[in-house]
Amino acid sequence: MRILEVQDLYKSFGKTEVLKGVNFSMDEGEVISVIGSSGSGKTTLLRCINFLERADTGKILLDGEVLFDGDSDNKASAKEIRAKQLNFGLVFQDFNLFPQYNVLDNVMLAPTLLAKERPDFKENKKEITDEIRKNAEAILARVGLSDKLESYPCQLSGGQKQRVSIARALALRPRVLFFDEPTSALDPELTGEILKVIKQLAAEKITMVIVTHEIDFAKAVSDKIIFMSEGIVAEMGTPEEVIDNPKNERTKAFLSKMFE
Amino acid sequence: MSLFEGFYTNFIIFVLTLLMSLPLGLIISFGSRMKFKPIRWLTRTFVWIIRGTPLMLQLFVVMYAPGILFDIPIRSRMTAALIAFVINYAAYFSEIFRGGIDSISKGQYEACQVLGMTKAQAFFKVVLFQVVKRIVAPISNEVITLVKDTSLARVISVAEIIMCAERFTKQGLIWPLFSTGLYFLVFNGLLTIMFSSIEKKLDYFE
Ligand SMILES: Nc1ncnc2c1ncn2[C@@H]1O[C@H](COP(=O)(O)OP(=O)(O)OP(=O)(O)O)[C@@H](O)[C@H]1O
Ligand SMILES: [Mg+2]
């Protein structure tokens, strides 16, 4: 089942053209890794899909329905964008946990605020809150943090922080979960635990797009690899195609540099 | 009027000023961070004027301008004093809030946004408390200054403690004047203890 489709996405910051017509699509349950040199537009692509930036032109489709259309004149209201945003989750490079909340509350905050908008929240407040807590605890168990529920972010290692932020994103059950270099801010010895969690999510058939510089990991976990270069998808295919037998000259150059 | 009654006046000015100028300061700080330039410049000019002129002058202006310019004299000196204090301190607080809000990383807002929070939820549920932690120290400085500034109300004849004590000097007594200092010292001592306990309470994060 086709879940996400990005068509001809363009984005400039002032005079710098960053995305110059990005096209790709993915199926439900698929894992795609995005690789490419610094400045090729990987982060910008993720930010556009997640509505943190507004693309200039192009379309984003979810389940075949248009979620974003840069050419359409009617701008979506903040409320509409918020609803669309909830289809996706984004895990940041530098975690962005909420420092004043403990681990459990970091994960529960957004689902709780959303639940408050439900018409039946007042009547069933206790049941709904219990449900949210149970769900949060289950997700934190999945990322191996059951013993840290009461800890505050400042008491955690980088790897633990990143696992909380993954749990926080999962708690809203996004259709597609995006990662922007989830291990780049970590000490090398901590990257393993994050990669393990992502592998586990892949095994659970969570649809994911992972921007990463860890080529070996990308190869191991992904169904498809996207190689981005200068604002376009220069090459896309299975890990064997893109990493082992790249056709594009720029992919070859990038990979030989990475494996130097 | 006894010194105690006099200090009661200072105390009332202090409490009411604080209660009103803190929220007002927060609103002004929103204004000075607006993307819409006219409002931003208006607010910043206002803050510049208030912070750039003496509080004593502002007390006189609030006291006499309405009567002289518009023929609607202010009946209560206490009200005039409060208006001047609230405006003055709101301007100072707004700058502290602005600095605090600016110091929160964009990532916090973006995390809220991708988690489907509204802007208001992001600010009140996530950002504000972090701002509070960062501004406790500068706010406590201002608050302690406010305690002492309340004695300026005497320039528009509000009978605060020092004005009461000065009357005793006409009877050749100097000790009441010294006692007023004691009132201020004790009160500020209590505030200092309170603020350091707040700082400690907020130590649990970051
Ligand atoms: N808000 C912005 N304003 C102006 N230019 C920007 C902005 N965001 C990104 N850019 C520019 O867009 C280009 C692509 O940036 P982007 O962050 O998408 O690259 P990237 O592929 O994620 O790189 P990296 O691997 O270093 O993270 C860069 O040249 C960057 O300077
Ligand atoms: Mg990037």
Side-chain angles (χ1 to χ4, degrees), chain A residues 4-235:
Chain A
L4 178 69
E5 194 162 346
V6 171
Q7 296 177 349
D8 252 341
L9 218 57
Y10 281 80
K11 174 71 187 172
S12 304
F13 294 106
K15 283 196 180 118
T16 351
E17 281 192 325
V18 178
L19 300 182
K20 304 172 191 168
V22 173
N23 286 287
F24 75 91
S25 63
M26 71 189 298
D27 291 342
E28 192 149 21
E30 240 180 3
V31 177
I32 293 188
S33 287
V34 182
I35 59 173
S37 50
S38 184
S40 55
K42 306 180 296 292
T43 297
T44 306
L45 173 62
L46 254 52
R47 291 175 59 84
C48 285
I49 298 174
N50 280 277
F51 296 91
L52 290 176
E53 306 283 357
R54 192 183 186 283
D56 302 327
T57 63
K59 282 197 181 81
I60 298 167
L61 286 78
L62 185 79
D63 300 321
E65 280 176 36
V66 177
L67 204 61
F68 171 82
D69 182 356
D71 305 312
S72 129
D73 291 331
N74 43 359
K75 278 209 179 132
S77 69
K79 200 175 171 192
E80 284 164 344
I81 290 182
R82 213 154 62 81
K84 292 174 180 191
Q85 219 151 21
L86 283 168
N87 291 301
F88 303 131
L90 177 60
V91 173
F92 297 88
Q93 189 174 331
D94 46 0
F95 332 125
N96 291 323
L97 295 180
F98 306 136
Q100 74 268 42
Y101 292 116
N102 67 23
V103 166
L104 186 61
D105 289 338
N106 260 280
V107 178
M108 285 180 62
L109 180 64
T112 308
L113 291 173
L114 271 181
K116 281 185 180 160
E117 290 171 25
R118 282 164 53 170
D120 63 334
F121 181 75
K122 272 210 177 111
E123 282 165 55
N124 308 321
K125 190 171 172 182
K126 200 178 168 321
E127 288 81 5
I128 294 176
T129 312
D130 283 349
E131 169 93 31
I132 291 172
R133 168 171 294 112
K134 251 194 233 148
N135 181 44
E137 284 172 354
I139 291 171
L140 283 163
R142 257 159 82 194
V143 299
L145 287 172
S146 289
D147 56 335
K148 297 285 179 197
L149 301 185
E150 310 275 306
S151 302
Y152 288 90
C154 61
Q155 301 167 321
L156 302 177
S157 72
Q160 290 167 335
K161 282 183 198 165
Q162 191 58 297
R163 282 186 278 154
V164 177
S165 103
I166 294 171
R168 185 175 68 174
L170 283 172
L172 292 168
R173 304 179 205 278
R175 301 291 313 283
V176 186
L177 183 54
F178 294 83
F179 295 80
D180 191 6
E181 301 194 30
T183 60
S184 289
L186 301 179
D187 295 335
E189 72 267 21
L190 297 177
T191 60
E193 58 186 88
I194 299 306
L195 302 182
K196 208 178 110 201
V197 167
I198 296 175
K199 270 185 191 156
Q200 180 194 324
L201 297 178
E204 293 169 21
K205 288 288 161 204
I206 306 260
T207 314
M208 292 185 284
V209 177
I210 307 157
V211 172
T212 183
H213 287 293
E214 312 259 348
I215 303 292
D216 291 328
F217 166 72
K219 203 175 144 183
V221 79
S222 317
D223 301 300
K224 299 239 178 72
I225 304 273
I226 286 177
F227 172 68
M228 273 191 79
S229 177
E230 294 176 17
I232 57 160
V233 174
E235 194 163 352

Side-chain angles (χ1 to χ4, degrees), chain A residues 35-37 212-216 251-260:
Chain A
I35 59 173
S37 50
T212 183
H213 287 293
E214 312 259 348
I215 303 292
D216 291 328
T251 320
K252 285 181 195 166
F254 172 77
L255 287 170
S256 66
K257 229 188 195 168
M258 290 297 285
F259 287 119
E260 233 164 44

